[in-house]
């Protein structure tokens, strides 16, 4: 079996996380949170989503070597 | 209403400060094309990041996004944050753009893609496609300025006067020193945008009774706006239709992807990305909260694009802060407008006239194009031509056609010039035909899905049926060592 380079594996994991995050960014508010009593749940979820996006990007760029 | 004299005085002060910054930037220019269009590739992370942020976050935010929140509620936040999530593409493409720029001296993204496929025709077609979809987008920036200034003064500042002001400032700051003056003024304008918006939203929330009372009032009077699809606008298909093309904005829009060439070094590029993230996240939240505040303080508007002028003149925000925010929105529009004009100028100079021309000729051609673009945008903003409005709405979906050749340039060696040409030409034709002939709305997900599907399909199928040009560059092989050196995925 062909062995994967650790950096390549890291990239694939990061890509999968990014894709999952974007999917959840639409699925959770529309599929899970929508239709409840008026609250900040959807607003709060999307704020947390934005923070998670920042975290995900920082995870990648902070490993760069200058 | 706000006194038009007060607004003119504020604009005059803003203009003088901007001109001083642009003149200072001019002293650093050396006269080469790379210097004029990219600031010599020597920008620091803070200036590059704030400039990127100010270019990306246009008058759209405090005029259209605020209006979309007013009309449809929290879905506007989700849409804008899916766009924000598209900045994750910078992790993949920012280092690759920057490294190719350093290695081959590219100035425009179209030039880079043309070289990758070994075809000047690819570069030219990409430049033309960008022109077609970006020029009308400039018009909407102008219209945003007009809407705001005439709205807050009750029409005392006419649409024509507002548009002429925006056009004059954008022209001056672009012509003086190219990217360096644009970037320096952008960075200052980003500061104005953020500070003014934070102050204004703070006063608006305080006028409602503070954060707790604001939330209670919104839940009680506009509970539906906190839900999905809200009062009707944010159905799932609409959400997908708007989010899909905007997710790829960081790659598809050359006025921002060109910024990936300008950082002085790798550390500056990383700082640039971090600044964009912070700026974008805060500015998005502020624009949406501002829209919710307008629902409380200026209810019952029929034209929701007037939410910002209505809130500014509601008495909730002190006049000084209101005027500062007006300058903030003006900044947002100008910083986007001058960046697009400069990028379009660079594409004409490098991709249509040719990189072989002298530096002086390339800079002269670019300056000429900048004038044409800004005059075009101003003229059509005043005239409000229907075809321009349609193309402006179509810009994000139309520019999707540039994504497959860009992705292929770095990740698919089998991509060919013929494939890229078919993708750009066929995809753009489909976008225009669907939107302008068939009347498919930008709120219909089939539009962007069809454009993405057709352009990607054409790129893949035609590439598989044709051979790569002999002079095509192999980016993935050429960059492998550098990417490993910088520990980039």
């Amino acid at each position: 079996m062909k062995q994967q380079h650790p950096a390549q594996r890291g990239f694939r994991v990061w890509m999968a996380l990014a894709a999952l995050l974007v999917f959840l960014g639409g699925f959770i508010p529309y599929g899970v949170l929508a239709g409840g009593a008026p609250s900040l749940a959807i607003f709060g979820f999307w704020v947390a989503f934005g923070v998670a996006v920042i975290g995900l990007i920082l995870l990648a760029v902070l490993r760069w070597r200058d | 209403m706000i006194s038009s004299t007060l607004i003119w005085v504020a604009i005059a002060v803003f203009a003088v400060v901007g001109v001083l910054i642009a003149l200072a930037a001019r002293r650093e220019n050396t006269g080469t094309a790379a210097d004029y269009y990219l600031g010599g590739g020597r920008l620091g992370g803070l200036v590059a990041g704030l400039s990127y942020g100010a270019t990306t976050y246009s008058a759209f935010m405090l005029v259209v996004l605020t209006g979309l929140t007013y009309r449809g509620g929290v879905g506007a936040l989700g849409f804008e944050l899916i766009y924000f999530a598209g900045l994750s593409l910078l992790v993949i493409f920012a280092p690759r753009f920057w490294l190719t720029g350093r290695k081959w001296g590219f100035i425009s993204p179209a030039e880079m893609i043309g070289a990758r496929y070994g075809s000047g025709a690819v570069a030219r077609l990409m430049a033309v496609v960008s022109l077609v979809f970006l020029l009308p987008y400039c018009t909407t920036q102008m219209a945003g300025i007009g809407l705001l200034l005439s709205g807050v003064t009750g029409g005392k500042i006419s649409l024509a006067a507002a548009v002429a002001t925006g056009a004059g400032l954008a022209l001056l700051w672009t012509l003086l020193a190219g990217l360096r003056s644009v970037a320096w003024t952008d960075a200052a304008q980003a500061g104005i945008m953020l500070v003014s918006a934070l102050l204004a939203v703070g006063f608006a929330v305080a006028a409602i009774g503070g954060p707790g009372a604001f939330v209670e009032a919104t839940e009680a009077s506009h509970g539906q706006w906190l839900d999905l699809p809200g009062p009707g606008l944010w159905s799932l298909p609409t959400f997908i239709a708007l989010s899909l093309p905007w997710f790829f904005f960081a790659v598809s829009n050359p006025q921002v992807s060109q910024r990936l060439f300008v950082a002085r070094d790798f550390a500056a590029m990383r700082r640039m990305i971090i600044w964009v993230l912070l700026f974008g996240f805060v500015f998005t939240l502020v624009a949406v909260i501002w829209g919710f505040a307008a629902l409380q303080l200026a209810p019952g508007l029929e034209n929701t694009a007037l939410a910002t002028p209505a809130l500014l003149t509601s008495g909730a925000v002190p006049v000084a802060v209101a005027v500062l925010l007006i300058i903030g929105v003006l900044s947002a529009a100008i910083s986007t407008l001058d960046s697009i004009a400069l990028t379009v100028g660079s594409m004409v100079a490098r991709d249509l006239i040719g990189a072989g021309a002298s530096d002086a000729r390339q800079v002269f051609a670019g300056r000429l194009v900048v004038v044409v673009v800004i005059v075009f945008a101003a003229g059509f903003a005043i005239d409000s031509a229907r075809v321009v409005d349609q193309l402006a709405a179509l810009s994000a979906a139309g520019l999707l056609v540039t994504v497959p050749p860009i992705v292929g340039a770095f990740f698919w060696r089998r991509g060919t010039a013929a494939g890229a040409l078919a993708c750009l030409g066929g995809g753009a034709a489909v976008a225009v035909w669907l939107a302008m002939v068939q009347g498919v709305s930008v709120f219909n997900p089939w539009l962007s899905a069809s454009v993405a599907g057709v352009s990607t399909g054409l790129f893949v199928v035609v590439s598989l049926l044709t051979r790569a040009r002999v002079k095509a560059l192999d980016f993935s092989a050429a960059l492998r060592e550098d990417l490993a050196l910088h520990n980039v995925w």
Side-chain angles (χ1 to χ4, degrees):
Chain A
M1 206 167 108
K2 195 179 165 190
Q3 256 199 334
Q4 241 181 14
H5 192 276
Q8 220 176 12
R9 199 170 51 238
F11 183 41
R12 286 186 182 171
V13 169
W14 184 88
M15 288 272 282
L17 279 175
L20 180 68
L21 186 61
V22 172
F23 171 75
L24 292 178
F27 178 76
I28 299 275
Y30 277 91
V32 179
L33 300 174
S39 75
L40 286 183
I42 294 173
F43 189 96
F45 169 81
W46 267 326
V47 171
F49 169 79
V51 173
V53 167
I54 293 174
L56 192 73
I57 295 174
L58 288 180
L59 195 71
V61 300
L62 291 179
R63 68 189 290 283
W64 290 351
R65 269 193 301 263
D66 302 332
Chain B
M1 292 304 136
I2 299 172
S3 154
S4 56
T5 311
L6 186 61
I7 291 177
W8 282 125
V9 169
I11 290 174
V13 172
F14 172 65
V16 168
V17 173
V19 167
L20 290 176
I21 293 173
L23 285 172
R26 191 183 188 189
R27 279 203 292 273
E28 302 231 343
N29 269 23
T30 59
T32 65
D35 208 48
Y36 187 76
Y37 295 118
L38 298 180
R42 294 196 306 272
L43 295 190
L46 175 63
V47 171
L50 290 179
S51 175
Y52 188 115
T55 300
T56 296
Y57 291 100
S58 63
F60 172 90
M61 297 296 284
L62 288 172
V63 178
V64 181
L65 188 67
T66 295
L68 288 175
T69 308
Y70 190 98
R71 185 174 150 206
V74 73
L77 176 64
F79 152 62
E80 191 61 29
L81 285 174
I82 293 289
Y83 156 72
F84 181 73
L87 292 174
S88 58
L89 295 170
L90 295 179
V91 168
I92 300 165
F93 291 98
R96 288 170 171 82
F97 270 61
W98 188 81
L99 285 168
T100 55
R102 293 289 142 145
K103 211 174 253 298
W104 287 284
F106 299 130
I107 284 181
S108 87
E111 181 186 9
M112 179 185 77
I113 297 304
R116 158 63 182 86
Y117 294 107
S119 164
V122 170
R124 285 192 290 277
L125 185 56
M126 196 163 169
V128 169
V129 166
S130 302
L131 274 169
V132 168
F133 292 115
L134 276 180
L135 290 192
Y137 188 58
C138 291
T139 305
T140 61
Q141 301 303 316
M142 292 286 196
I145 298 172
L147 203 66
L148 180 74
L149 293 187
S150 86
V152 294
T153 59
K156 282 187 183 146
I157 295 181
S158 67
L159 176 69
V163 166
T165 304
L169 291 176
L171 263 178
L172 195 60
W173 295 345
T174 316
L175 294 178
L176 270 175
L179 191 273
R180 190 170 279 112
S181 52
V182 165
W184 287 19
T185 51
D186 275 1
Q189 289 177 104
I192 297 173
M193 286 159 67
L194 206 54
V195 170
S196 64
L198 280 168
L199 277 174
V201 88
F203 277 105
V205 171
I208 299 167
F214 178 34
V215 171
E216 277 173 27
T218 304
E219 284 175 349
S221 64
H222 292 88
Q224 210 183 352
W225 272 251
L226 292 169
D227 199 1
L228 293 167
L233 173 66
W234 292 106
S235 66
L236 185 59
T238 298
F239 182 79
I240 293 170
L242 295 177
S243 303
L244 173 66
W246 283 82
F247 178 82
F248 292 97
F249 190 95
V251 176
S252 64
N253 275 247
Q255 76 276 20
V256 289
S257 64
Q258 192 177 35
R259 289 290 198 276
L260 305 179
F261 294 133
V262 305
R264 82 160 74 95
D265 51 33
F266 230 74
M269 187 171 56
R270 177 172 41 215
R271 282 199 301 276
M272 175 182 91
I273 293 172
I274 292 170
W275 277 109
V276 176
L277 289 175
L278 296 176
F279 179 89
F281 187 57
V282 174
F283 202 56
T284 298
L285 288 180
V286 167
V288 172
I289 293 170
W290 181 248
F292 275 110
L295 276 170
Q296 296 299 319
L297 296 166
L301 293 174
E302 280 192 18
N303 182 358
T304 56
L306 292 174
T308 290
L311 184 46
L312 286 176
T313 53
S314 66
V317 178
V319 172
V321 175
V323 171
L324 191 62
L325 187 70
I326 290 164
I327 298 299
V329 177
L330 188 63
S331 298
I334 291 173
S335 56
T336 300
L337 184 61
D338 58 13
S339 295
I340 292 176
L342 190 65
T343 296
V344 170
S346 73
M347 288 195 294
V348 170
R350 299 288 287 194
D351 307 316
L352 297 181
I353 291 176
S358 68
D359 278 328
R361 192 161 170 231
Q362 288 182 45
V363 172
F364 176 75
R367 282 187 159 134
L368 211 58
V369 173
V370 164
V371 175
V372 171
V373 167
I374 292 176
V375 169
F376 167 94
F380 280 99
I382 293 168
D383 199 35
S384 192
R386 189 165 173 267
V387 65
V388 174
D389 289 344
Q390 285 176 318
L391 277 172
L394 187 58
S395 69
L399 286 170
L400 266 181
V401 304
T402 63
V403 175
I406 292 174
V407 175
F410 296 103
F411 295 102
W412 196 45
R413 283 178 166 167
R414 193 64 189 80
T416 67
L421 287 169
C423 163
L424 292 167
V430 166
V432 171
W433 179 72
L434 281 176
M436 300 179 75
V437 179
Q438 295 298 310
V440 179
S441 160
V442 290
F443 292 100
N444 184 339
W446 281 111
L447 177 65
S448 44
S450 303
V451 174
V454 168
S455 55
T456 306
L458 283 171
F459 179 61
V460 172
V461 171
V462 176
S463 289
L464 290 174
L465 293 174
T466 53
R467 284 178 180 280
R469 302 257 173 105
V470 177
K471 58 181 179 176
L473 299 174
D474 184 347
F475 283 173
S476 60
L479 299 183
R480 192 171 297 131
E481 269 185 39
D482 289 316
L483 290 171
L485 187 72
H486 291 290
N487 206 26
V488 171
W489 284 324

